[in-house]
């Protein structure tokens, strides 16, 4: 019996020695031998083990910086504070802070001018007649090692614009588009995002009412329609969703899309802020279903043309716009990126001369996001949103056509104060993309182009999409949107106006690094149509 026990102990010790010493030593020897003989990495040839540690640390660097080392206000393209500004309203329908702001008040920046006598709550001209049923999280316990929260039902006010202040796109069209939500979801294609993400966003925006979602250039899918929300159907240079197999424009498909009740307008995508060229989708993302929607071959890389083949100047573009408007009866707009103060001169001049032109213009800033683009385009081509919107607004005013066009702005406008500033610069409506992605689970892994999104948002992989629970995330999108609307009315009250649509340049101030202050309307150079700082 003693012999058997001793034998057992010796065997156990032998296994332990093998597990602790022999196997790791063998593994390290193999890595050493392999890396010494490879020809790709110089550091691994000279220092195989230390080099492996170096590359491991480099690989984990982005995550380490994001969660441990970056300051709350330092991360790019969105800081930790930016991320929380979306997540907290989405989960709890709250955006309160304590102790004080972490904004750097020494930096030059724009501020909303507060009125000496602000408006009272009951003076605000909001349409809150119909309450919305939502679900929010209630925190039960929040300790260092445990957090307990429960999803509960909650009724909330929608904070829509009143009928008097509603924005009407294409009032002269057979079917104008009346918008009471002021903030909508910017263009995100099915394909760039998976069906779970698109469905959750559609349901969230749809429950909020009064707003819209843009399909992106990938075409209209059943997932965009799932929430019965208003739709702006985007048409890109690849004509996805309204093309023949050979790539020609298909007027019958366009008419078919226009007769879907949720489709309220069409948008021609000339360019996008993060990629002033046609779109790109990796082959892995182009499933059979996505290929059918776009009328392309499955599992083949998609690169849209840099521009439409249907037109190549302003007159031919206006003619194409007029054809679509007459064929469908719906408003037609263009999405563009402004590169200089002179970009809109020809368009605005031709609008004045002919009476033709788009019903709305979506101005996308160069700070906008994308599922996939090239670094040089994202960093250095096109103007940021503040400069771009100011140029667009002032140029259209110069030619006397501003009242004919609804101006929609997009480009990191994910909080109410950012939106208020851009409204003062001339925008009528605002579109948001990445913040809506965050509401449905995005953790900013920045691998949207790889189809390996770990939370199932920017991927068409069915296994990864299981992480995204549509019914739960839809309420987050709803809560974020409603909180944003309410915050806009709160800022309006502080500025002394009864509705966000009344925010003007006179309500926005600029403070420079020397603490000098100007009103925005004083800064706008009437000749160059840009903000002179």
């Amino acid at each position: 019996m003693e012999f058997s026990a001793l034998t057992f102990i010796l065997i156990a010790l032998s296994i332990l020695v093998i597990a602790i010493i022999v196997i790791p030593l063998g593994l390290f020897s193999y890595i050493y031998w392999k890396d010494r003989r490879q020809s790709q990495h110089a550091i691994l040839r000279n220092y195989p083990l230390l080099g492996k540690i170096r590359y491991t640390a480099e690989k984990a660097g982005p995550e380490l910086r994001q969660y441990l080392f970056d300051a709350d206000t330092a991360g790019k393209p969105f800081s930790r504070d930016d991320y929380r500004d979306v997540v907290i309203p989405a989960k709890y329908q709250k955006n309160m802070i304590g102790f004080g702001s972490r904004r750097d008040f020494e930096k030059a920046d724009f501020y909303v001018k507060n009125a000496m006598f602000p408006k009272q709550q009951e003076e605000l001209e909001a349409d809150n007649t119909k309450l919305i049923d939502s679900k929010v999280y209630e925190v039960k316990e929040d300790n260092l090692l445990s957090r307990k929260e429960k999803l509960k039902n909650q009724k909330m006010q929608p904070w829509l614009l009143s009928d008097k202040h509603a924005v009407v796109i294409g009032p002269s069209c057979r079917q104008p588009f009346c918008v009471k939500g002021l903030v909508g979801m910017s263009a995100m294609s099915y394909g760039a995002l998976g069906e779970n993400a698109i469905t959750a966003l559609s349901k969230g925006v749809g429950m909020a009412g009064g707003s819209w979602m843009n399909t992106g250039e990938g075409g209209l899918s059943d997932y965009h329609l799932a929430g019965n929300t208003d739709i702006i159907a985007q048409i890109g240079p690849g004509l996805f969703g309204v093309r023949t197999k050979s790539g020609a424009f298909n007027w019958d498909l366009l008419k078919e899309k226009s007769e879907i009740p949720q489709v309220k307008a069409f948008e021609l995508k000339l360019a996008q802020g993060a990629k002033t060229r046609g779109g790109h989708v990796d082959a892995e993302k182009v499933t059979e279903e996505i290929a059918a929607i776009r009328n392309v071959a499955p599992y083949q890389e998609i690169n849209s043309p840099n521009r439409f083949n249907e037109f190549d100047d302003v007159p031919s573009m206006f003619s194409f716009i007029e054809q679509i408007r007459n064929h469908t009866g719906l408003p037609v707009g263009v999405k563009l990126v402004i590169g200089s103060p002179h970009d809109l001169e020809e368009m605005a001049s031709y609008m004045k001369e002919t009476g033709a032109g788009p019903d709305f213009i979506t101005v996308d800033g160069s700070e906008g996001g994308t599922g996939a683009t090239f670094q040089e385009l994202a960093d250095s081509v096109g103007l940021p949103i503040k400069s771009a919107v100011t140029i667009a607004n002032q140029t259209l005013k110069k030619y006397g056509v501003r009242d004919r066009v609804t101006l929609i702005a997009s480009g990191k406008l994910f909080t109410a104060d950012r939106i208020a500033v851009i409204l003062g610069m001339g925008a009528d409506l605002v579109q948001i993309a990445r913040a809506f992605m965050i509401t449905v689970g995005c953790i900013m892994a920045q691998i949207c182009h790889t189809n390996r999104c770990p939370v199932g948002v920017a991927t068409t992989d069915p296994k990864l999409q299981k992480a995204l629970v549509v019914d739960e995330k839809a309420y987050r999108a709803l809560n974020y949107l409603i909180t944003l609307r309410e915050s806009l009315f709160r800022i309006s009250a502080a500025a002394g106006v009864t509705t966000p649509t009344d925010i003007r340049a006179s309500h926005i101030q600029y403070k420079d690094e020397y603490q000098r202050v100007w009103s925005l309307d004083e800064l706008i150079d009437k000749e160059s149509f840009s903000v002179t700082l």
Side-chain angles (χ1 to χ4, degrees), residues 58-111:
E58 182 183 50
K59 183 71 174 177
E63 287 78 11
L64 292 173
R65 286 189 292 274
Q66 180 179 356
Y67 294 111
L68 296 177
F69 303 124
D70 273 346
D72 286 345
T73 58
K76 296 291 183 182
F78 283 72
S79 70
R80 191 178 291 110
D81 275 358
D82 293 339
Y83 187 77
R84 287 171 179 161
D85 285 341
V86 177
V87 172
I88 300 302
K91 287 190 69 176
Y92 309 105
Q93 216 233 331
K94 295 178 180 178
N95 57 351
M96 302 286 287
I97 65 169
F99 196 68
S101 171
R102 294 201 277 195
R103 181 175 184 172
D104 186 348
F105 290 99
E106 298 304 312
K107 284 185 176 180
D109 213 339
F110 293 93
Y111 293 83

Side-chain angles (χ1 to χ4, degrees), residues 475-527:
Y475 285 109
R476 295 201 192 192
L478 165 64
N479 296 336
Y480 168 69
L481 182 52
I482 297 300
T483 305
L484 205 54
R485 289 179 187 170
E486 182 180 9
S487 299
L488 276 170
F489 273 96
R490 189 181 299 121
I491 286 180
S492 302
V497 295
T498 60
T499 178
T501 56
D502 281 345
I503 296 175
R504 299 287 183 266
S506 59
H507 296 111
I508 307 301
Q509 298 193 104
Y510 179 80
K511 180 199 74 68
D512 70 12
E513 62 270 28
Y514 302 107
Q515 312 310 312
R516 296 174 297 188
V517 178
W518 292 272
S519 179
L520 178 60
D521 52 0
E522 297 172 334
L523 284 174
I524 296 175
D525 187 321
K526 300 298 193 263
E527 295 301 322

Side-chain angles (χ1 to χ4, degrees), residues 179-335:
V179 178
K180 297 183 66 175
L182 204 147
V183 178
M185 194 193 91
S186 194
M188 291 191 284
S189 300
Y190 172 47
L193 270 58
E195 58 261 35
N196 284 11
I198 294 292
T199 302
L201 290 167
S202 176
K203 289 185 174 182
V205 176
M207 286 188 287
S211 289
W212 71 97
M213 72 185 305
N214 190 306
T215 65
E217 67 172 300
L220 181 65
S221 70
D222 290 341
Y223 309 110
H224 289 103
L225 300 171
N228 197 32
T229 184
D230 289 341
I231 297 285
I232 294 179
Q234 188 181 88
I235 303 171
L239 308 179
F240 305 125
V242 290
R243 57 177 266 161
T244 63
K245 282 285 186 184
S246 61
F249 196 87
N250 190 320
W251 291 95
D252 291 334
L253 279 176
L254 177 74
K255 184 67 173 175
E256 181 182 306
K257 298 291 192 299
S258 72
E259 292 173 349
I260 297 172
Q262 292 101 310
V263 176
K264 303 298 183 182
F266 288 98
E267 178 183 78
L268 300 179
K269 176 188 172 182
L270 306 185
Q272 181 180 338
K275 49 185 177 189
T276 49
R277 61 181 292 278
H280 169 86
V281 183
D282 282 351
E284 190 178 359
K285 281 191 168 187
V286 187
T287 63
E288 297 276 357
E289 184 180 19
I290 289 167
I293 291 169
R294 298 189 180 208
N295 217 357
V296 297
Y299 300 108
Q300 291 188 18
E301 181 180 88
I302 300 175
N303 283 295
S304 303
N306 277 1
R307 65 168 179 79
F308 285 83
N309 292 319
E310 286 68 25
F311 53 84
D312 57 6
D313 57 16
V314 170
S316 59
M317 180 175 71
F318 278 20
S319 176
F320 192 60
I321 288 172
E322 194 69 24
Q323 283 181 276
I324 294 175
R325 186 188 293 118
N326 291 336
H327 193 67
T328 65
L330 299 178
V332 183
V334 295
K335 178 177 184 176

